Amino acid sequence: AQSVAQPEDQVNVAEGNPLTVKCTYSVSGNPYLFWYVQYPNRGLQFLLKYITGDNLVKGSYGFEAEFNKSQTSFHLKKPSALVSDSALYFCAVRGLSGGYNKLIFGAGTRLAVHP
Amino acid sequence: EPEVTQTPSHQVTQMGQEVILRCVPISNHLYFYWYRQILGQKVEFLVSFYNNEISEKSEIFDDQFSVERPDGSNFTLKIRSTKLEDSAMYFCASSEAYGSTGELFFGEGSRLTVL
């Protein structure tokens, strides 16, 4: 069965510092990986995805993520955090076995960026 | 930019009452989904819908739940007899039908409170 793990409930970062939000996955076959962000009382907004090709993918708002097949990870990164980046971040995976169209989400990581 | 719209934004109901949550997916999308999120926690898959039928459903999506696409634009989730534990934020999403690489686009959600 496909699954996603986000090992950190919360990540605290000072504004201007780099940030990393961790994600590992388990899926049969090649994974399709996604990051979404949720601001308070809002829906989920798509940030970026890895389908194939370059392991480093760039997305919205200066975020990027690195796909590492050997470590089955897809960590979200940003070189310089902003206070406005504070939100709930979800990693998601879609596999190719059975029900391939749904996304399975991780538990979410709350990012707090302090001035 | 096209978006998924959901109504109502918030509904309060008594336990045992029927509730219908409505969604208008992005017009050229063919896959539709319902997810729910309890109190800012994990986003859980409920059901996916394609070509006027359910393509996959989770264990949460029991006989109390049903989905329908009554016309060319709306996609509804019905809960026949609500329970306290149905209180959650319900998100509708849609995606294009080109294989499984596309991201899901989410609405802003409908908050359901069951008293």
Side-chain angles (χ1 to χ4, degrees), chain A residues 93-109:
Chain A
V93 67
R94 176 189 274 150
L96 293 182
S97 61
Y100 62 86
N101 270 302
K102 74 182 183 199
L103 291 185
I104 300 296
F105 286 87
T109 298

Side-chain angles (χ1 to χ4, degrees), chain A residues 47-88:
Chain A
L47 277 180
L48 51 79
K49 66 181 177 183
Y50 171 82
I51 304 300
T52 187
D54 195 345
N55 289 343
L56 184 66
V57 293
K58 295 186 184 296
S60 307
Y61 313 121
F63 284 93
E64 57 190 29
E66 186 167 13
F67 171 65
N68 188 317
K69 189 172 184 177
S70 63
Q71 296 185 4
T72 61
S73 67
F74 188 55
H75 301 331
L76 182 70
K77 300 180 180 184
K78 187 173 182 180
S80 179
L82 300 172
V83 173
S84 57
D85 292 331
S86 299
L88 192 54

Side-chain angles (χ1 to χ4, degrees), chain B residues 75-103:
Chain B
F75 179 51
T76 62
L77 174 68
K78 181 192 289 186
I79 309 174
R80 289 191 183 84
S81 178
T82 50
K83 309 185 206 54
L84 295 176
E85 54 265 37
D86 293 328
S87 295
M89 182 73 89
Y90 288 82
F91 291 106
C92 175
S94 67
S95 67
E96 293 181 275
Y98 55 92
S100 59
T101 60
E103 60 269 28

Side-chain angles (χ1 to χ4, degrees), chain A residues 32 34 36 38 41-44 46 49 51 88 90 94-96 98-107 110, chain B residues 31 33 35 37 40-43 45 56 89 91 95 98-109 111:
Chain A
Y32 295 159
F34 302 78
Y36 282 80
Q38 184 181 33
N41 301 311
R42 303 295 301 277
L44 288 88
F46 169 74
K49 66 181 177 183
I51 304 300
L88 192 54
F90 291 97
R94 176 189 274 150
L96 293 182
Y100 62 86
N101 270 302
K102 74 182 183 199
L103 291 185
I104 300 296
F105 286 87
R110 191 165 300 281
Chain B
Y31 283 92
Y33 312 80
Y35 284 78
Q37 183 183 35
Q41 295 177 18
K42 189 172 185 174
V43 178
F45 169 76
E56 188 174 5
M89 182 73 89
F91 291 106
S95 67
Y98 55 92
S100 59
T101 60
E103 60 269 28
L104 273 60
F105 291 83
F106 286 82
E108 293 288 299
R111 182 176 299 282

Side-chain angles (χ1 to χ4, degrees), chain B:
Chain B
E1 185 174 324
E3 58 182 19
V4 176
T5 57
Q6 291 185 241
T7 55
S9 56
H10 189 191
Q11 181 156 354
V12 181
T13 190
Q14 295 291 326
M15 190 169 57
Q17 295 296 304
E18 175 182 285
V19 162
I20 297 176
L21 305 178
R22 292 181 169 80
C23 169
V24 179
I26 294 173
S27 61
N28 64 333
H29 287 184
L30 297 178
Y31 283 92
F32 313 116
Y33 312 80
W34 283 100
Y35 284 78
R36 78 173 186 189
Q37 183 183 35
I38 297 175
L39 283 178
Q41 295 177 18
K42 189 172 185 174
V43 178
E44 301 174 296
F45 169 76
L46 292 178
V47 65
S48 60
F49 191 88
Y50 171 69
N51 199 25
N52 284 321
E53 61 183 20
I54 291 173
S55 52
E56 188 174 5
K57 60 184 180 180
S58 71
E59 292 177 353
I60 303 168
F61 194 88
D62 61 22
D63 292 344
Q64 293 298 314
F65 291 88
S66 62
V67 289
E68 192 179 28
R69 188 156 163 81
D71 53 43
S73 60
N74 289 286
F75 179 51
T76 62
L77 174 68
K78 181 192 289 186
I79 309 174
R80 289 191 183 84
S81 178
T82 50
K83 309 185 206 54
L84 295 176
E85 54 265 37
D86 293 328
S87 295
M89 182 73 89
Y90 288 82
F91 291 106
C92 175
S94 67
S95 67
E96 293 181 275
Y98 55 92
S100 59
T101 60
E103 60 269 28
L104 273 60
F105 291 83
F106 286 82
E108 293 288 299
S110 293
R111 182 176 299 282
L112 176 64
T113 302
V114 182
L115 302 176

